[in-house]
């Protein structure tokens, strides 16, 4: 019998890469998707097969992490061996506009799932998508024992979820792991996160379709890695003998300005002639500098990043240039790796 995984947030950036990797490892993957009036499975379409095909190992189920009854029913019916909880309102800037919903989905969502697992009595290993945003104002390098000082409703919600996973591990002996993931990016990154916003806009400027790009704080520094490396670490955590919490990061930080500069140079563009600062993109409280120390993951899981910052920027720029060319030529859009 194949191992069964239940993935929340399956339609997101991380969910799509994780699903690919789990299917390649022979898993049966069950993903939770939200009902939407338009299609929201674009990142999964290349993996999806007609459910009438018996051999399909990817199944999608409607659900919402704010609906504990539904999540408990899915857990009971599917009895997953592993559960990857990736669903969240994941945008930091947006969390200042909708703090209550963010706390509900991103924070309470984890309590709902862990309480359902306990009450339903499912034997499963649980992955919690924790975030470097929990460190917030704590200076780098950030490690597992660095104090949390979140700077947004999103960060506060992730701290609550982090400690919930630790608490269920300590109280009930459940196999719960926190991946404290630093920023990870890819051509599948949501279009409103800064890296993708930049590469997408540069492709349009390059093609003569856009004249201005409005950004916020260019001085913020982030530790940016390549997403498939990070989704692989999620799986590795759940295969480890003991549950634990792991920082996953490259150990290198760069400013938004450096990202922009490198991406523009790749296309031979002078960004200073078309980028303008718009204060609407500033945050009420900023996280200035994140740079993780992933020594524990390297030591205990044998994990290390495989893609450099320069290669990541180049890959994202080239993918957006290709995507735009396909769109303009009316070709079926290919999902890039
Ligand atoms: P993402 O692209 O924004 O995907 C979020 C996923 O959550 C989507 O599938 C979304 O569904 C789903 N979702 C949101 N609210 C939901 C709800 N109420 N019920 C059910 N599903 C819901 O995020 P990501 O970059 O893949 O990140 C995955 C997880 O890792 C998130 O928890 C994020 O906070 C965390 N994280 C990300 C990073 C990073 O750098 N990417 C770093 C640290 C931690 P729709 O498609 O329907 O919107
Ligand atoms: O911002 C600055 C902004 O929105 C990065 C999420 O995946 O990683 C992500 O959160 C930096 C910030 O990501 C714009 O002020 C400047 O300092 O791409 P971002 P994030 O806030 O770091 C963490 C680890 C997560 O867990 C989250 O889920 O870039 N910035 N100008 C801008 N940011 C945006 N979005 N848009 C701008 O125009």
């Amino acid at each position: 019998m194949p191992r069964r995984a239940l993935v929340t947030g399956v339609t997101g950036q991380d969910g799509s890469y994780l699903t690919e990797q789990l299917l390649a490892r022979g898993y049966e993957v069950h993903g939770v998707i939200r009902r939407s009036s338009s299609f929201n499975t674009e990142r999964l379409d290349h993996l999806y097969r007609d459910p009438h095909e018996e051999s399909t190992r990817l199944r999608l189920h409607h659900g919402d992490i704010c609906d504990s009854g539904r999540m408990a029913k899915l857990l009971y019916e599917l009895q997953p061996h592993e559960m990857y909880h990736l669903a969240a309102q994941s945008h930091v800037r947006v969390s200042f506009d909708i703090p209550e919903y963010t706390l509900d989905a991103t924070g309470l969502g984890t309590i709902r799932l862990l309480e359902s697992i306990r009450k339903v009595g499912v034997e499963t290993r649980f992955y919690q998508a924790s975030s470097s945003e929990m460190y917030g104002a704590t200076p780098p390098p950030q490690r597992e024992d660095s104090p949390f000082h979140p700077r947004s409703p999103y960060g506060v919600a992730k701290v609550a979820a982090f400690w919930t996973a630790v608490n269920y591990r300590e109280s009930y002996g459940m196999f719960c792991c926190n991946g404290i993931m630093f920023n990870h990016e890819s051509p599948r990154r949501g279009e409103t996160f800064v890296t993708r916003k930049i590469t997408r806009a540069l492709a349009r400027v390059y093609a003569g379709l856009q004249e201005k790009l409005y950004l916020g704080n260019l001085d913020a520094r982030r530790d940016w890695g390549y997403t498939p490396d990070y989704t692989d670490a999620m799986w590795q955590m759940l295969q480890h003998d003991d549950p634990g919490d792991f920082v996953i990061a490259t150990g290198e930080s760069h400013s938004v300005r450096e990202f922009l500069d490198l991406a523009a140079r790749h296309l031979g563009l002078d960004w200073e002639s078309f980028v303008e600062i718009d204060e609407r993109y500033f945050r009420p409280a900023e996280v200035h500098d994140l740079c993780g120390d992933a020594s524990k993951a390297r030591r205990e899981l044998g994990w290390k990043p495989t893609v450099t910052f320069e290669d990541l920027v180049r890959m994202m720029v080239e993918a957006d240039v290709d995507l735009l060319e396909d769109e303009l030529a009316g070709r079926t859009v290919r999902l890039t790796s």
Side-chain angles (χ1 to χ4, degrees):
M1 285 291 284
R3 283 184 75 73
R4 252 185 329 281
L6 179 58
V7 181
T8 69
V10 72
T11 55
Q13 173 192 235
D14 292 12
S16 71
Y17 286 109
L18 177 69
T19 299
E20 249 169 47
Q21 292 168 345
L22 291 172
L23 291 171
R25 289 182 163 119
Y27 278 68
E28 186 179 295
V29 180
H30 294 266
V32 180
I33 62 167
R34 293 195 280 187
R35 146 75 189 146
S36 160
S37 65
S38 47
F39 288 120
N40 59 355
T41 52
E42 191 189 355
R43 294 187 180 99
L44 292 174
D45 287 346
H46 63 301
L47 300 171
Y48 194 67
R49 301 280 170 276
D50 186 326
H52 299 98
E53 283 181 31
E54 276 195 13
S55 61
T56 184
R57 284 187 287 110
L58 171 60
R59 305 237 169 224
L60 301 178
H61 310 268
H62 282 112
D64 194 299
I65 47 165
C66 297
D67 178 356
S68 42
R70 174 60 175 156
M71 295 311 300
K73 186 159 187 285
L74 282 174
L75 279 159
Y76 176 73
E77 285 174 359
L78 299 169
Q79 300 278 329
H81 302 100
E82 294 170 20
M83 167 143 202
Y84 296 87
H85 176 38
L86 310 182
Q89 191 303 92
S90 73
H91 204 283
V92 174
R93 176 66 192 83
V94 171
S95 77
F96 288 98
D97 298 333
I98 49 169
E100 187 179 327
Y101 174 73
T102 303
L103 262 289
D104 189 7
T106 306
L108 281 182
T110 302
I111 297 180
R112 288 188 187 100
L113 291 177
L114 286 170
E115 196 54 12
S116 297
I117 289 171
R118 196 173 75 84
K119 289 209 171 120
V120 170
V122 186
E123 272 297 314
T124 192
R125 294 186 168 205
F126 184 86
Y127 174 81
Q128 164 61 25
S130 286
S131 165
S132 52
E133 279 294 305
M134 300 186 305
Y135 295 119
T138 298
Q142 292 94 2
R143 327 168 345 144
E144 289 80 3
D145 56 3
S146 301
F148 294 147
H149 183 153
R151 299 269 284 170
S152 64
Y154 170 81
V156 170
K158 283 290 183 188
V159 170
F162 172 93
W163 284 115
T164 302
V166 172
N167 184 246
Y168 275 65
R169 186 168 74 213
E170 292 176 351
S171 304
Y172 307 115
M174 287 166 62
F175 194 109
C176 299
C177 293
N178 282 289
I180 309 175
M181 302 265 165
F182 283 60
N183 297 54
H184 42 278
E185 317 293 316
S186 73
R188 298 185 204 168
R189 183 58 141 151
E191 289 89 348
T192 60
F193 296 97
V194 78
T195 54
R196 186 75 199 287
K197 181 174 169 183
I198 290 172
T199 59
R200 201 164 164 268
L202 291 185
R204 294 177 63 79
V205 171
Y206 184 65
L209 295 173
Q210 185 169 330
E211 289 181 354
K212 292 266 177 237
L213 166 60
Y214 294 96
L215 292 170
N217 176 16
L218 302 187
D219 296 319
R221 300 184 70 82
R222 290 290 182 275
D223 178 332
W224 280 297
Y226 179 48
T227 301
D229 287 343
Y230 290 60
T231 50
D232 189 46
M234 296 173 188
W235 178 79
Q236 287 185 35
M237 280 176 222
L238 294 200
Q239 312 316 306
H240 199 45
D241 290 341
D242 304 307
D245 309 319
F246 296 88
V247 161
I248 301 294
T250 68
E252 228 184 81
S253 93
H254 297 273
S255 65
V256 174
R257 189 187 309 280
E258 283 168 56
F259 189 101
L260 175 61
D261 198 46
L262 196 58
R265 264 193 285 137
H266 191 65
L267 293 177
L269 296 171
D270 168 21
W271 63 266
E272 298 201 43
S273 64
F274 59 85
V275 169
E276 286 190 13
I277 303 304
D278 183 339
E279 292 193 359
R280 273 184 305 180
Y281 295 113
F282 289 174
R283 290 156 189 204
E286 176 63 283
V287 170
H288 296 289
D289 199 356
L290 291 174
C291 187
D293 175 353
S295 314
K296 180 181 173 191
R298 184 182 286 255
R299 204 173 48 246
E300 294 190 18
L301 304 175
W303 181 88
K304 59 176 181 354
T306 65
V307 174
T308 63
F309 175 68
E310 289 72 20
D311 286 345
L312 176 66
V313 175
R314 184 184 42 73
M315 177 199 307
M316 290 182 69
V317 171
E318 287 177 3
D320 270 319
V321 169
D322 289 350
L323 190 65
L324 187 62
E325 273 175 14
D326 282 352
E327 279 171 9
L328 293 175
R331 286 192 290 268
T332 309
V333 172
R334 285 172 279 130
L335 190 66
T336 37
S337 58

